[in-house]
Amino acid sequence: MARITASVYTSHVPAIGAALDLGKSDEPYWKRVFDGYVFSKQWMRENKPDVIFLVYNDHANAFSLELIPTFAIGTAAEYEIADEGWGPRPVPKVIGHPELASHIAQSVIQDDFDLTIVNKMPVDHGLTVPLSLMCGQPQAWPCPVIPFAVNVVQYPVPSGRRCFNLGRAIGKAVASYDEPLNVHIWGTGGMSHQLQGPRAGLINAEWDNRFLDRLIAEPAALSQMPHIEYVREAGSEGIELVMWLIARGAMSDNAPRVRHRFFHVPASNTAVGHLILEEQ
Ligand code: DHB
Ligand code: FE
């Protein structure tokens, strides 16, 4: 059977992708960010998964205001890199895993979560920046990726509780796939940031670190936090953090092993948070 052996959490700041693509990762400002991922890249090489289930949000690139799925699972064989206005990032295309993705869709939809099935979806910085942070600049990504897009851009957005329970259903779906695949699940986006309005630039490092503590130790209780607290405490874009609860919900109820924890302010307008949790 397939097994989720680890979960990874990371911010997806688009300027990180630009810094990497433009050769600026050794500049002191960016080096402080990339230093937090040196261990992670080594860990990825040593613990290469067969498939990454990558929870992220699209930023009105694949889905405009004309069509807004709350949860969209990518079942395609491959995904092109989105052009976000200045050409697609120079990174490898994303190879999918249609068989496992279709199985998860079948299982999770029969478990009462209404996923949108997507067979064509350009992937934006929400997905490619986490891959770059964890894998560097390879010729090809190390394994197939199942993109799972969550609406955290246009209200109403899903609650943390729903995301956590959806993660549980995804974990159950993976565990019933009849092939011995090693699967990692990633929760991306966050941490505190607000890109617009009078509070633009808001960062709340204390709240972010408490979120990391609780995500590790008491995710079910954390999932009860209402969405308005994310917005009030972590800024309008801090709501992206509900996606981390999908990845956390997919892990077993055993206490995870914390392989890596990193927090840094600032990167562009956001606080960067990063965790690697392994199943014990
Ligand atoms: C920034 C951060 C994001 O998460 C995003 O999607 C776009 C921009 C920023 O820091 O500027
Ligand atoms: Fe974002």
Side-chain angles (χ1 to χ4, degrees):
M1 291 300 187
R3 230 165 64 82
I4 292 175
T5 58
S7 55
V8 172
Y9 308 82
T10 181
S11 307
H12 65 209
V13 190
I16 292 177
L20 205 60
D21 300 342
L22 300 172
K24 294 183 175 175
S25 46
D26 284 332
E27 291 181 4
Y29 180 93
W30 290 114
K31 190 171 180 307
R32 287 191 277 272
V33 175
F34 288 108
D35 279 352
Y37 292 82
V38 172
F39 171 87
S40 314
K41 289 196 279 274
Q42 183 64 29
W43 178 86
M44 273 299 283
R45 284 189 288 271
E46 289 166 4
N47 298 274
K48 195 174 92 59
D50 297 312
V51 186
I52 298 167
F53 189 93
L54 205 160
V55 181
Y56 77 109
N57 69 291
D58 177 68
H59 299 75
N61 289 302
F63 306 117
S64 70
L65 292 182
E66 291 174 2
L67 192 159
I68 307 167
T70 300
F71 299 117
I73 186 164
T75 45
E78 56 181 64
Y79 304 87
E80 65 182 87
I81 307 302
D83 181 347
E84 301 184 46
W86 43 89
R89 288 192 61 212
V91 295
K93 70 179 172 191
V94 171
I95 304 300
H97 199 299
E99 298 80 11
L100 178 60
S102 305
H103 169 83
I104 293 172
Q106 159 76 20
S107 176
V108 168
I109 290 171
Q110 288 301 317
D111 242 343
D112 304 337
F113 290 89
D114 307 315
L115 308 185
T116 299
I117 294 161
V118 187
N119 286 311
K120 185 170 162 61
M121 177 164 68
V123 288
D124 75 6
H125 70 269
L127 182 132
T128 62
V129 167
L131 281 173
S132 295
L133 281 168
M134 294 299 293
C135 309
Q137 295 172 291
Q139 289 298 311
W141 299 120
C143 67
V145 174
I146 298 175
F148 190 89
V150 180
N151 170 39
V152 285
V153 169
Q154 175 62 47
Y155 280 82
V157 299
S159 68
R161 180 178 56 246
R162 182 144 179 87
C163 288
F164 187 68
N165 288 332
L166 169 60
R168 287 191 157 153
I170 291 167
K172 188 175 132 194
V174 170
S176 65
Y177 186 68
D178 194 9
E179 209 188 307
L181 296 178
N182 174 9
V183 179
H184 289 180
I185 183 164
W186 295 11
T188 66
M191 293 200 87
S192 57
H193 63 304
Q194 172 143 348
L195 302 177
Q196 68 225 301
R199 296 201 310 162
L202 179 145
I203 303 263
N204 187 344
E206 196 181 322
W207 187 92
D208 285 336
N209 276 291
R210 176 94 181 110
F211 184 92
L212 294 175
D213 293 341
R214 297 187 70 199
L215 188 77
I216 295 165
E218 45 171 38
L222 177 63
S223 77
Q224 300 299 320
M225 189 163 72
H227 94 273
I228 196 66
E229 185 175 335
Y230 290 85
V231 177
R232 192 192 311 120
E233 299 294 333
S236 52
E237 277 63 51
I239 191 66
E240 289 179 346
L241 283 168
V242 293
M243 297 185 288
W244 293 30
L245 286 163
I246 298 179
R248 188 66 182 88
M251 296 197 77
S252 76
D253 290 338
N254 302 331
R257 176 175 181 211
V258 182
R259 280 309 297 272
H260 187 49
R261 178 170 173 163
F262 174 65
F263 181 78
H264 175 76
V265 175
S268 184
N269 300 296
T270 95
V272 169
H274 174 39
L275 282 175
I276 299 176
L277 304 183
E278 287 177 354
E279 284 291 356
Q280 299 262 26

